[in-house]
Amino acid sequence: MVEVLLESCGQDVAVPETGCHMDESTTEYTPRQERDLHVATDEANLSPIQKFYNGQSIFVTGGTGFLGKLLIEKLLRECPGISFIYILVRPKKCKDVHQRVEELFDDPVFGKLKEMQPKFRHQTVAVAGDCSLPGLGISATDRAIITREVSIVMHVAATVRFDEKMNLAVPINVRSPKAVIDLCKEMPGLKSFVHVSTAYANCPRSLIEEKVYEPPMDADKLITLMECVDEKLLEEITPRLLGIWPNTYTFTKAIAESVVKKEAGDLPAGIFRPAIVISTYREPVRGWIDNMYGPTGVAAGAGTGILRSIHCDGSIHANVVPGDFTVNALIACAWDVANRYKSTATKEEQKFDVPVYNYVSKDNAISYDELKTMSEKYGLEFPTEKAIWYYSFRNNKYWIVHLFYVYFFHLIPAMLIDTVTVCVGKQPRMMKLYKKIHKFMDVLNYFTTNRWTFTNETVQAVIDKMSPEDRNNFVCDITTIDWDQYFRTYIRGIRIYLIKDPLDTLPQARVKWQRLYWTHQALKVIFAYALLRICWLVLYYLYRLCTWQSV
């Protein structure tokens, strides 16, 4: 279990399917002919955003990832008049597209949708493909159906592993947006295309506005370089390519934004930049989370007693946003892109400028210290039975202090435990685990010790344009979040969905927590006594030495 806790640097880029898999055997399938079989929604009872999606078909990449699942669930539940959602899915780990889809819809996040609309899977269609392949790996038959039927495209797929190798990050994060744009250009009925980036794509800048900046490298040159240089040489030159960018994720995301601006300038296109996305706040399941990225990995590690310190300036704004608010904002931004493009089209002299949406928490900010305090508060309320030690975690602003904690509270205990483990004939695991944890922390250091200022006027303008019904149906106003209430559901969700410890075990966990607490206190007393004893011996022998020399 402990090895799973801080695996926080990877993400699926594939996407789900349901209904029919479109391959050569489904060339007779014509969704337009069956559109009337779906729920007929009276537009008079719909909000503006629901009207926009009513009767439309949507193409989504990244549907098997965290945001993708939430996006698909929300669209199907809140916009029942949607014709079809085409979801890009790639076979993975000896599982075909159909198996991956079955697993996708078994996720707890779809529970509420199943209750409200048991037949929702008739509105989903899987498209076999792979974002790491040219042209998204989509067959000619599937491509023809998508371009004919789809009018809204949301490109969510990405590899968010910060230290991903360049030859893997570039095809997914740079080449696939270009492939999606090429697909959009073939769609006669395209109304909106939104590329999901990240608020930290331009992290070398301290002020990040809602605009596309000059990329660190030309996209076409980078793609060509990937195709011409072997993997070993590429690893050697990666640091030179990155320059002031901290990792391949932010580097490739910055270049991808330039691709959208350059290639999609004549399309109804927009760039959506979410901050650090963590668990859901209210819907469809409170506190639902399925990954260990960023603060979630830290909270899980601290809550199980594995993680004791992180190099972090606690006064810095923790730019976190709930998953459900994020997808609501994404849905609203796609609607806004279409409206902006329509408005521009009526003015022949005006060229459409790709809008950028910074979805950040600056209007309801919390610091990393506040995040830690609330995580600790509710971690003690919902302790896990799988904890190996009592909660003892700190944000350490100074590197030297953090290093002290790493050696004395991570490495030395891990070495002692592994030594005992080897002596009893078992495989040592703790040093290997902490190697992963420290690699994870090294990735986070850049983001927990630097400050950024974000602008978000474009997002605020979208919220202002939303009707009261849409503000209620697609809640995305950060100022409405009660962070204390949120963190209670967040920590509870980590326990249930990530650590896989149901609330049924809470009584036993609290008993174990008390035992760990007193063990922790006893160890601190022993450690303090040993330290005092060592100091006394050093002073004593120094005194004896000085006395002997004076004689």
Side-chain angles (χ1 to χ4, degrees):
M1 185 277 296
V2 291
E3 290 188 347
V4 177
L5 287 176
L6 295 174
E7 291 281 353
S8 64
C9 298
Q11 177 173 342
D12 289 343
V13 298
V15 194
E17 138 175 294
T18 86
C20 310
H21 166 54
M22 297 186 297
D23 54 21
E24 294 303 323
S25 64
T26 61
T27 53
E28 298 298 320
Y29 182 65
T30 54
R32 183 170 295 166
Q33 294 175 1
E34 298 190 9
R35 186 165 292 164
D36 294 335
L37 295 178
H38 295 302
V39 179
T41 307
D42 183 2
E43 288 207 3
N45 298 323
L46 299 179
S47 68
I49 291 181
Q50 289 174 327
K51 285 180 182 177
F52 170 68
Y53 286 96
N54 195 42
Q56 306 302 310
S57 287
I58 306 166
F59 178 59
V60 177
T61 69
T64 55
F66 177 62
L67 274 185
K69 291 175 185 176
L70 287 173
L71 175 63
I72 293 166
E73 193 278 341
K74 180 66 174 184
L75 285 171
L76 290 171
R77 180 164 49 85
E78 207 64 60
C79 303
I82 285 176
S83 293
F84 291 95
I85 297 182
Y86 294 86
I87 314 166
L88 190 69
V89 187
R90 67 185 172 99
K92 183 181 179 183
K93 296 179 181 177
C94 303
K95 296 176 183 177
D96 62 24
V97 171
H98 297 284
Q99 290 173 312
R100 293 205 66 197
V101 168
E102 290 301 319
E103 290 181 357
L104 175 76
F105 290 114
D106 284 338
D107 199 290
V109 76
F110 292 98
K112 187 175 182 180
L113 177 62
K114 289 176 181 178
E115 292 177 9
M116 295 176 62
Q117 299 177 44
K119 298 181 179 180
F120 75 93
R121 294 184 65 169
H122 294 298
Q123 292 172 267
T124 60
V125 182
V127 179
D130 189 337
C131 282
S132 66
L133 299 177
L136 305 177
I138 300 175
S139 70
T141 303
D142 290 350
R143 191 179 188 92
I145 295 174
I146 291 170
T147 54
R148 185 177 70 243
E149 300 295 333
V150 169
S151 56
I152 301 170
V153 177
M154 296 182 181
H155 182 48
V156 185
T159 172
V160 300
R161 189 183 296 274
F162 283 179
D163 58 349
E164 186 71 89
K165 292 182 179 180
M166 193 72 84
N167 65 322
L168 298 177
V170 171
I172 297 170
N173 290 355
V174 179
R175 189 174 63 191
S176 74
K178 192 174 186 303
V180 173
I181 292 169
D182 290 339
L183 190 65
C184 288
K185 290 178 179 178
E186 299 175 24
M187 297 177 182
L190 183 68
K191 293 179 180 292
S192 180
F193 159 63
V194 180
H195 167 74
V196 178
S197 183
T198 170
Y200 294 97
N202 301 282
C203 58
R205 301 174 179 272
S206 58
L207 173 63
I208 300 177
E209 300 176 278
E210 292 176 298
K211 65 180 184 180
V212 179
Y213 293 94
E214 280 297 312
M217 185 175 181
D218 179 76
D220 291 331
K221 291 180 180 178
L222 181 61
I223 293 171
T224 301
L225 182 66
M226 296 304 106
E227 295 170 348
C228 298
V229 177
D230 66 75
E231 184 178 345
K232 186 177 180 181
L233 178 57
L234 193 57
E235 286 186 26
E236 294 177 2
I237 66 173
T238 292
R240 296 285 298 276
L241 290 173
L242 293 180
I244 58 176
W245 263 258
N247 49 60
T248 56
Y249 174 65
T250 55
F251 177 80
T252 53
K253 278 296 192 178
I255 296 174
E257 289 190 357
S258 70
V259 170
V260 176
K261 183 174 182 179
K262 178 182 176 182
E263 302 290 340
D266 297 329
L267 299 175
I271 297 172
F272 181 70
R273 292 179 182 157
I276 303 168
V277 185
I278 51 179
S279 79
T280 58
Y281 183 24
R282 295 172 180 159
E283 57 171 353
V285 182
R286 285 182 178 269
W288 180 75
I289 183 80
D290 72 348
N291 63 76
M292 288 281 189
Y293 309 139
T296 304
V298 174
T304 52
I306 295 173
L307 189 60
R308 308 294 181 80
S309 169
I310 188 170
H311 185 207
C312 171
D313 182 347
S315 65
I316 289 176
H317 170 208
N319 193 19
V320 293
V321 290
D324 52 340
F325 276 47
T326 303
V327 296
N328 287 342
L330 172 58
I331 290 168
C333 288
W335 164 74
D336 186 63
V337 166
N339 290 339
R340 283 170 174 264
Y341 187 79
K342 190 186 301 181
S343 174
T344 304
T346 61
K347 304 172 185 177
E348 295 183 3
E349 74 284 356
Q350 186 176 345
K351 185 179 183 298
F352 182 70
D353 190 21
V354 175
V356 178
Y357 304 87
N358 283 349
Y359 190 65
V360 294
S361 57
K362 60 169 286 189
D363 299 316
N364 189 6
I366 60 167
S367 68
Y368 279 110
D369 275 343
E370 290 174 312
L371 188 153
K372 172 193 170 293
T373 300
M374 287 184 281
S375 296
E376 178 179 357
K377 174 183 176 182
Y378 293 114
L380 296 176
E381 182 179 338
F382 298 106
T384 172
E385 196 179 24
K386 297 183 180 180
I388 65 171
W389 198 253
Y390 189 74
Y391 183 95
S392 178
F393 173 78
R394 285 187 58 179
N395 290 328
N396 284 306
K397 180 178 179 180
Y398 302 103
W399 173 252
I400 190 68
V401 178
H402 170 64
L403 204 60
F404 172 84
Y405 271 75
V406 165
Y407 276 98
F408 281 89
F409 299 107
H410 286 179
L411 297 180
I412 291 176
M415 192 178 300
L416 292 174
I417 292 171
D418 277 354
T419 300
V420 173
T421 302
V422 170
C423 290
V424 298
K426 295 184 179 180
Q427 283 289 103
R429 299 172 60 194
M430 293 305 294
M431 285 297 288
K432 184 178 179 181
L433 172 63
Y434 275 111
K435 183 178 179 181
K436 292 182 180 180
I437 291 173
H438 295 153
K439 185 178 181 181
F440 160 73
M441 290 193 298
D442 288 342
V443 168
L444 289 185
N445 287 346
Y446 181 88
F447 301 96
T448 56
T449 57
N450 287 294
R451 298 176 187 271
W452 288 272
T453 300
F454 296 91
T455 64
N456 66 341
E457 287 81 5
T458 309
V459 167
Q460 287 302 319
V462 174
I463 295 173
D464 291 340
K465 294 174 190 174
M466 294 169 67
S467 68
E469 294 84 0
D470 281 329
R471 290 186 191 183
N472 183 59
N473 294 336
F474 304 96
V475 182
C476 56
D477 187 350
I478 291 292
T479 62
T480 63
I481 298 174
D482 179 339
W483 286 115
D484 186 74
Q485 181 187 21
Y486 171 78
F487 271 87
R488 190 175 193 273
T489 64
Y490 177 47
I491 299 302
R492 183 175 176 271
I494 289 175
R495 184 190 200 274
I496 297 171
Y497 300 111
L498 292 183
I499 302 177
K500 306 296 183 184
D501 193 2
L503 291 179
D504 296 345
T505 66
L506 199 54
Q508 301 95 297
R510 285 173 175 157
V511 171
K512 181 178 181 180
W513 209 237
Q514 279 295 109
R515 188 166 62 248
L516 289 175
Y517 170 78
W518 290 113
T519 305
H520 179 67
Q521 300 306 323
L523 191 63
K524 284 200 295 185
V525 171
I526 294 170
F527 180 77
Y529 173 78
L531 189 62
L532 287 172
R533 187 71 178 168
I534 291 169
C535 290
W536 166 253
L537 290 173
V538 170
L539 291 173
Y540 175 75
Y541 282 111
L542 285 175
Y543 170 76
R544 291 288 302 272
L545 180 63
C546 292
T547 304
W548 179 78
Q549 287 180 340
S550 63
V551 173

